[in-house]
Amino acid sequence: MAIKVLSALDAAKTQFYHFKAIIIAGMGLFTDSYDLFCIPVVMRMLGRIYYPEIHRTIDQRKWFEVPSVIASTMIGVALMGTVIGQLVFGRLGDLVGRRHVYGVSLIMMVVGSIGCGFSFSVLTPMVFVSLGFFRFLLGVGIGGDYPLFATIMSEFANKRTRGTFIAGVFSMQGFGILLSSLVTMIVCYIFRGFSDNLRTVSKLPESETTAPVPPESDLAWRIILVVGAIPAAMTYHWRMKMPETARFTALVEKNTLKASKDMEKVMNNVSLSQIREDIETMNTPNTRAALSNTYPLFSQEFFRRHGRDLISAAVNWFLVDIVFYSLNLFQYHAFKLKMIPKSHMNIYDDALQIAKFQAIVAISATIPGYFLAVYMIDYVGRVKIQATGFFFMAVSLFTIAFVNKSNWGSEPEDSSIGFMILYGLTFFFANFGPNTTTFIVPAELFPARFRATCHGVSDAAGKVGAIIGSVGFLWACRDPPNGLGVSHTLRVMGLVCVLGFFVTYFFTRETMVRPLEENENVDEFTGVCFIRFWPHKVWVKRFDETIVNDRVHLSLSNAL
């Protein structure tokens, strides 16, 4: 027996509270992406400030770089914190409630962002130790945000536009990346205007072994990090005002009266009397059986019902994040041929040119990919968009690897434009593809009592892939014999995308325009060895035709 308040949610027209929920939840992801993706420019500035030695005997593109061990640690600790936050807060979201722990993760994000900016001391070791600690705390808060707002948005939305709303929340990631570039440019412009005697290395005598760094530049990178706390802090009040989702209240807490009252407050043209009928019907045997926890999390029955969906969601997220995070965190390498050499740049101009290239990629490729996903997700479906995205990401990466025979930016000038276009297409099809859909599908497949947990597990698998991709990319793209070289590294990423295409096609279940409670049902027709492919579709079609024929024969028999 369907619970009326949930049926009302599935059939509700798009209303003000839908957009309000998108903004409130979206600002969390906006902050998440800002904090995660502002770090490449910050690390560039830290290299100038704390490693200013001039090594004239080596390629100047390697000057002023934070050692690879420290750089990979700064990236890895934030992602490791994200993994922990996704697992812990995802489980708490199912045990305590989505709204109650939503504020806790936000507070951790705010404290982590502010702490990153106020990293103790100006001594090099202490700065990086302190920064690493607060980046980890920030990562835990960010990790908690992912499964919570994905679950909240999926449980608030109606079934027709659920994918659009969740994708709309996720698209705020693109604007967070863009804002990190804009804030960097604004801060650098301001500090450059107030700094005197900004000499470049090219103007120094040969006897100088240390590049001049303005003392106030140590404040600039801290401001960039602290600004990330502002959007998150602005949404705290509204997060605490949001009611608990009706699905958690009705299906997990078994309190349909409270769920009905909560929904009456936010849904227009729906009165409590229209959805109150279930309060009396909750005591019927059928309803009690439907709502009872008949199997625990990660039990044998759980894996029979949901194991394949959980594994496919986790594997797809793992694969896409290997590619997405590594290319995003180190995208400025792709534009080295277009960048002014470090010897002709001061610290602010150096950071400015990286931020500009990141903004160009965000505007021309990242954000359009998100927008197209928002528009098409409920028309085309999750599986088709995800498979298509993986396919074209692989094509772009293999083509880049073929064109780029050696290191970043070493190809002739006339081919660099095509190189950058292909690089941008990789981001476009990542966002109009698996980077968006892997966030949506786990929020739609699992029962309410496991939804946040399973989303957290899937997302944690993704962030493990991000750690492997970003840290591994940092080491693998170095020239042989120290690494694989860029061309071979890109080929490996292309193969990862090919694997993602096959996992999507054979194992991922479509969730478009179906009630959440219907999506969690076991799909009895699974092809061979739990693989979903054309024999499964043929069998289902034959089964449906058999049912229709039997009904026709039964109707004719009754008529006779």
Side-chain angles (χ1 to χ4, degrees):
M1 183 179 296
I3 299 177
K4 273 195 169 184
V5 66
L6 305 186
S7 299
L9 276 174
D10 285 332
K13 295 180 180 179
T14 302
Q15 301 175 23
F16 173 73
Y17 85 92
H18 287 123
F19 295 105
K20 183 178 178 181
I22 289 175
I23 293 173
I24 295 172
M27 289 306 292
L29 190 56
F30 182 92
T31 304
D32 299 346
S33 59
Y34 178 98
D35 290 324
L36 285 176
F37 293 108
C38 72
I39 198 66
V41 179
V42 170
M43 295 302 293
R44 184 86 165 194
M45 297 180 72
L46 290 175
R48 284 269 189 166
I49 296 170
Y50 295 104
Y51 297 92
E53 296 82 8
I54 301 174
H55 303 281
R56 300 185 186 275
T57 58
I58 65 175
D59 187 348
Q60 63 176 278
R61 289 181 295 185
K62 298 180 181 180
W63 293 359
F64 318 132
E65 287 193 356
V66 176
S68 298
V69 174
I70 297 177
S72 58
T73 301
M74 291 299 104
I75 295 168
V77 292
L79 294 174
M80 184 57 67
T82 305
V83 171
I84 295 173
Q86 285 156 350
L87 296 174
V88 173
F89 282 95
R91 189 63 188 134
L92 288 175
D94 286 334
L95 296 177
V96 181
R98 288 72 160 116
R99 189 179 72 88
H100 290 87
V101 293
Y102 205 22
V104 178
S105 66
L106 186 69
I107 291 174
M108 295 185 69
M109 290 168 54
V110 173
V111 173
S113 294
I114 296 174
C116 287
F118 287 92
S119 297
F120 310 127
S121 181
V122 292
L123 299 176
T124 301
M126 288 302 299
V127 167
F128 284 104
V129 170
S130 177
L131 181 60
F133 171 79
F134 285 109
R135 290 285 296 174
F136 176 81
L137 182 65
L138 173 65
V140 174
I142 290 174
D145 223 35
Y146 271 68
L148 293 176
F149 69 67
T151 302
I152 288 172
M153 201 64 239
S154 70
E155 294 181 345
F156 266 122
N158 61 59
K159 65 180 181 180
R160 299 184 312 278
T161 57
R162 184 176 61 238
T164 299
F165 289 152
I166 303 176
V169 171
F170 194 69
S171 68
M172 297 301 290
Q173 186 181 73
F175 292 101
I177 296 172
L178 178 60
L179 181 68
S180 68
S181 299
L182 294 178
V183 169
T184 300
M185 288 189 282
I186 292 171
V187 170
C188 289
Y189 273 123
I190 293 174
F191 274 78
R192 188 179 64 179
F194 286 98
S195 298
D196 297 325
N197 194 24
L198 288 173
R199 293 184 301 165
T200 62
V201 176
S202 61
K203 297 180 179 180
L204 296 177
E206 290 290 332
S207 59
E208 290 283 347
T209 58
T210 302
V213 178
E216 65 273 11
S217 62
D218 193 61
L219 179 62
W221 67 268
R222 297 175 188 273
I223 292 176
I224 294 171
L225 292 174
V226 169
V227 169
I230 296 175
M234 290 173 58
T235 61
Y236 180 78
H237 172 74
W238 298 109
R239 286 198 185 196
M240 295 299 95
K241 298 274 289 184
M242 288 181 67
E244 184 58 82
T245 67
R247 282 185 160 87
F248 180 84
T249 305
L251 298 176
V252 181
E253 294 183 336
K254 313 295 193 303
N255 190 343
T256 56
L257 175 59
K258 185 177 183 299
S260 302
K261 289 181 177 180
D262 287 341
M263 289 305 98
E264 185 189 28
K265 297 176 183 177
V266 296
M267 292 175 62
N268 298 326
N269 304 320
V270 177
S271 65
L272 183 61
S273 61
Q274 292 177 285
I275 55 180
R276 186 169 178 161
E277 178 182 332
D278 294 300
I279 300 169
E280 288 76 22
T281 61
M282 284 295 292
N283 291 323
T284 63
N286 289 337
T287 305
R288 287 199 302 269
L291 298 180
S292 62
N293 289 328
T294 55
Y295 54 93
L297 178 68
F298 298 146
S299 63
Q300 184 176 358
E301 181 66 11
F302 171 88
F303 283 109
R304 187 188 75 82
R305 291 173 176 266
H306 312 294
R308 176 182 49 191
D309 291 330
L310 181 59
I311 292 173
S312 66
V315 170
N316 283 323
W317 210 328
F318 173 83
L319 295 174
V320 70
D321 274 6
I322 288 178
V323 179
F324 182 77
Y325 273 80
S326 57
L327 293 183
N328 225 320
L329 288 168
F330 302 102
Q331 63 178 267
Y332 66 87
H333 285 289
F335 303 102
K336 280 186 175 180
L337 198 64
K338 295 294 185 181
M339 293 171 66
I340 300 173
K342 291 181 180 181
S343 61
H344 294 74
M345 304 285 283
N346 58 57
I347 183 173
Y348 302 122
D349 290 334
D350 193 20
L352 270 170
Q353 68 173 350
I354 296 175
K356 287 178 182 178
F357 282 120
Q358 289 184 338
I360 290 172
V361 172
I363 293 172
S364 61
T366 303
I367 294 177
Y370 283 125
F371 278 174
L372 189 60
V374 170
Y375 181 75
M376 299 295 292
I377 194 70
D378 283 320
Y379 292 99
V380 178
R382 288 71 161 141
V383 173
K384 290 181 180 178
I385 289 179
Q386 184 166 302
T388 301
F390 269 127
F391 176 80
F392 283 106
M393 285 174 68
V395 171
S396 297
L397 289 168
F398 284 136
T399 306
I400 295 173
F402 177 78
V403 172
N404 192 81
K405 296 296 185 181
S406 54
N407 209 335
W408 294 105
S410 60
E411 71 276 5
E413 178 76 21
D414 57 358
S415 65
S416 61
I417 298 297
F419 180 89
M420 289 186 288
I421 291 174
L422 288 169
Y423 199 81
L425 285 174
T426 307
F427 283 105
F428 176 83
F429 283 108
N431 296 314
F432 178 55
N435 189 45
T436 299
T437 54
T438 51
F439 178 80
I440 296 173
V441 172
E444 299 181 312
L445 276 176
F446 305 100
R449 62 185 182 273
F450 305 139
R451 187 167 292 131
T453 302
C454 292
H455 194 284
V457 170
S458 302
D459 201 352
K463 292 305 173 285
V464 171
I467 295 172
I468 294 173
S470 56
V471 176
F473 181 88
L474 184 66
W475 293 89
C477 69
R478 297 184 298 175
D479 293 332
N482 296 321
L484 296 176
V486 173
S487 183
H488 290 299
T489 303
L490 292 172
R491 289 190 181 94
V492 171
M493 290 184 182
L495 291 174
V496 169
C497 292
V498 171
L499 180 58
F501 171 84
F502 284 107
V503 173
T504 298
Y505 184 78
F506 289 124
F507 292 93
T508 304
R509 185 151 57 103
E510 183 57 69
T511 58
M512 180 178 62
V513 197
R514 297 173 64 184
L516 293 178
E517 288 68 40
E518 183 179 334
N519 280 333
E520 70 187 58
N521 292 335
V522 182
D523 187 1
E524 299 296 341
F525 305 101
T526 55
V528 179
C529 297
F530 301 105
I531 297 178
R532 296 185 178 91
F533 64 124
W534 65 267
H536 155 60
K537 299 176 183 178
V538 172
W539 178 251
V540 171
K541 183 178 180 181
R542 290 179 179 176
F543 181 79
D544 292 339
E545 291 175 351
T546 303
I547 292 178
V548 171
N549 292 333
D550 290 343
R551 289 178 178 174
V552 170
H553 290 311
L554 180 61
S555 299
L556 291 174
S557 300
N558 293 336
L560 295 175

